[in-house]
Amino acid sequence: MSVILGIESSCDETSASVCVDGVILSNVIANQTIHEAYGGVVPELASRVHQQNIVPAVQQALLNAKVNKNDIDAVAFTRGPGLLGSLLVGVSFAKAFALAKNLPLIDINHMQAHILAHFIGDHKPTFPFLCLTVSGGHTQIVLVNDYFDMQVIGQTIDDAAGEAMDKTSKILGLPYPGGPLIDKYARQGNSDAYKFPEPQIPGYDYSFSGLKTSILYFIRDNVAKNPDFINQNLPDICASVEKRIVTILLNKLQKAAQAQGIKQIALAGGVSANTGLRLGLQELCTKNGWESFVPKMEYCTDNAAMIAIAGYYKYLKGEFAGQQIAPLARMPF
Ligand code: KG4
Ligand code: ZN
């Protein structure tokens, strides 16, 4: 039997989870609302709030799982990538806990963990599969050969898809994080109302900075003609922007899947919570006779369950970290 405590603190969610023999028994996520007033995550504030939330989050995760802290076999934690000050809180907590209880440590790559969230529950992909990982900081097409054998075959050369969502919402005057709000308004709008350009980038790489600029100019020009333009057209603007981002993401994904001859396609990361993207992937897979894997909502955005499940598979391999381990703001795999 293996009882893994998972800790996630890479950005602005403090999260703890308990995984017993590959089954997630709890997943406590403490969100940080303090950043809303600033229109984005303030790293200094994020690490302070992690410091306040980490112990209560772990206590609640143990309580929800009905697991005693003395029964834990290993502590898995996000080593990177992420905000250094935020990571330090989780890494230091994990090291202190492991030292006090004489437990092995398991270091986890946050981006790999987003993908391994697909191994929570019954609908698991089989290797090899392709995963489109779309978050606030990353946009990657990953060829997943095994639990920890992953190859990035395409990625953004500038902004991430989540960043494009968040920046659009900022231009529209919506609060941070904007992705969920774009999603909400898009459901009520006409996605063909406005056309935004599709970047011409070779291979499987992405670019979102040109799109962001064209949205900025589009809004600026229309507001100059009609100061109430945003208010009057918010659903149509959100639906049109979301459609463009989704088609950019899925066109490259389709190209990569066809070239690799892969028939199992997964979504991961915060933007995989987006309704348009989830529906779009299902449509794409049905059209091509592929199987789609879309994470449950609570495993899309940052959470410790994905760290705990990744920790479980590393525990089975017997791969542990030493007490000298330090976080990494950048952490390729
Ligand atoms: O994976 P994640 O929680 O954190 C990072 O590792 O970055 O992803 C956060 C990103 C944010 O950009 C947020 O706006 C976006 O995911 N997001 C969404 C939705 N929910 C979260 N974007 C579009 N639609 C959503 N429903
Ligand atoms: Zn993430």
Side-chain angles (χ1 to χ4, degrees):
M1 176 150 142
S2 67
V3 182
I4 313 288
L5 174 65
I7 305 290
E8 157 64 28
S9 73
S10 64
C11 190
D12 60 341
E13 268 99 18
T14 320
S15 183
S17 166
V18 175
C19 174
V20 176
D21 289 337
V23 177
I24 297 297
L25 297 190
S26 64
N27 182 36
V28 173
I29 304 170
N31 298 112
Q32 303 185 358
T33 48
I34 193 165
H35 307 288
E36 278 169 21
Y38 300 90
V41 177
V42 183
E44 173 82 22
L45 294 178
S47 44
R48 282 190 223 172
V49 182
H50 280 306
Q51 194 69 266
Q52 290 163 352
N53 288 349
I54 188 97
V55 171
V58 170
Q59 282 171 334
Q60 194 59 50
L62 291 169
L63 213 62
N64 292 1
K66 298 186 176 63
V67 164
N68 189 290
K69 62 177 182 295
N70 297 321
D71 295 331
I72 293 168
D73 294 310
V75 187
F77 63 91
T78 303
R79 184 183 186 195
L83 301 171
L84 205 59
S86 290
L87 289 165
L88 267 168
V89 177
V91 175
S92 302
F93 174 89
K95 287 169 73 168
F97 192 95
L99 188 65
K101 297 270 167 205
N102 198 22
L103 297 174
L105 282 165
I106 305 171
D107 62 306
I108 299 296
N109 180 307
H110 178 90
M111 298 313 294
Q112 286 192 337
H114 268 302
I115 297 171
L116 293 174
H118 285 285
F119 293 88
I120 301 171
D122 296 331
H123 187 225
K124 298 179 173 69
T126 50
F127 301 114
F129 65 93
L130 269 194
C131 187
L132 173 66
T133 313
V134 268
S135 69
H138 293 78
T139 302
Q140 302 175 328
I141 298 177
V142 183
L143 175 60
V144 188
N145 293 310
D146 207 340
Y147 296 107
F148 300 100
D149 177 4
M150 303 183 186
Q151 193 189 341
V152 178
I153 61 171
Q155 60 192 320
T156 182
I157 57 167
D158 41 56
D159 291 353
E163 232 173 319
M165 294 273 187
D166 294 339
K167 282 179 181 166
T168 301
S169 81
K170 203 168 184 176
I171 296 168
L172 295 173
L174 301 172
Y176 177 88
L181 290 170
I182 302 260
D183 191 344
K184 183 181 140 197
Y185 290 114
R187 307 280 68 76
Q188 305 149 27
N190 170 12
S191 61
D192 293 320
Y194 307 109
K195 291 260 174 291
F196 296 103
E198 177 156 11
Q200 302 302 316
I201 307 292
Y204 311 131
D205 285 339
Y206 292 108
S207 166
F208 289 100
S209 73
L211 177 65
K212 179 188 68 190
T213 310
S214 74
I215 294 167
L216 183 69
Y217 290 164
F218 168 81
I219 299 294
R220 189 196 59 186
D221 295 349
N222 279 287
V223 169
K225 284 184 249 160
N226 169 13
D228 219 19
F229 176 74
I230 295 176
N231 269 342
Q232 287 166 0
N233 300 286
L234 192 57
D236 284 354
I237 301 168
C238 290
S240 302
V241 168
E242 184 194 272
K243 184 178 182 180
R244 175 49 77 213
I245 293 174
V246 168
T247 45
I248 292 171
L249 289 170
L250 294 182
N251 283 350
K252 287 290 173 93
L253 184 63
Q254 171 170 260
K255 222 168 126 184
Q258 283 168 342
Q260 300 281 336
I262 302 251
K263 295 180 165 41
Q264 293 200 46
I265 318 288
L267 275 187
V271 184
S272 64
N274 180 263
T275 313
L277 182 59
R278 293 167 86 91
L279 292 173
L281 181 79
Q282 273 152 14
E283 229 171 78
L284 178 76
C285 287
T286 307
K287 189 180 83 186
N288 286 285
W290 300 336
E291 196 179 355
S292 66
F293 295 84
V294 175
K296 269 192 182 171
M297 281 298 186
E298 67 171 313
Y299 305 134
C300 288
T301 44
D302 290 347
N303 66 88
M306 68 186 196
I307 305 303
I309 196 81
Y312 167 71
Y313 286 104
K314 253 194 166 176
Y315 182 85
L316 293 183
K317 280 163 66 102
E319 277 183 21
F320 302 112
Q323 271 289 342
Q324 75 288 352
I325 196 143
L328 293 172
R330 288 168 175 271
M331 189 177 175
F333 43 88

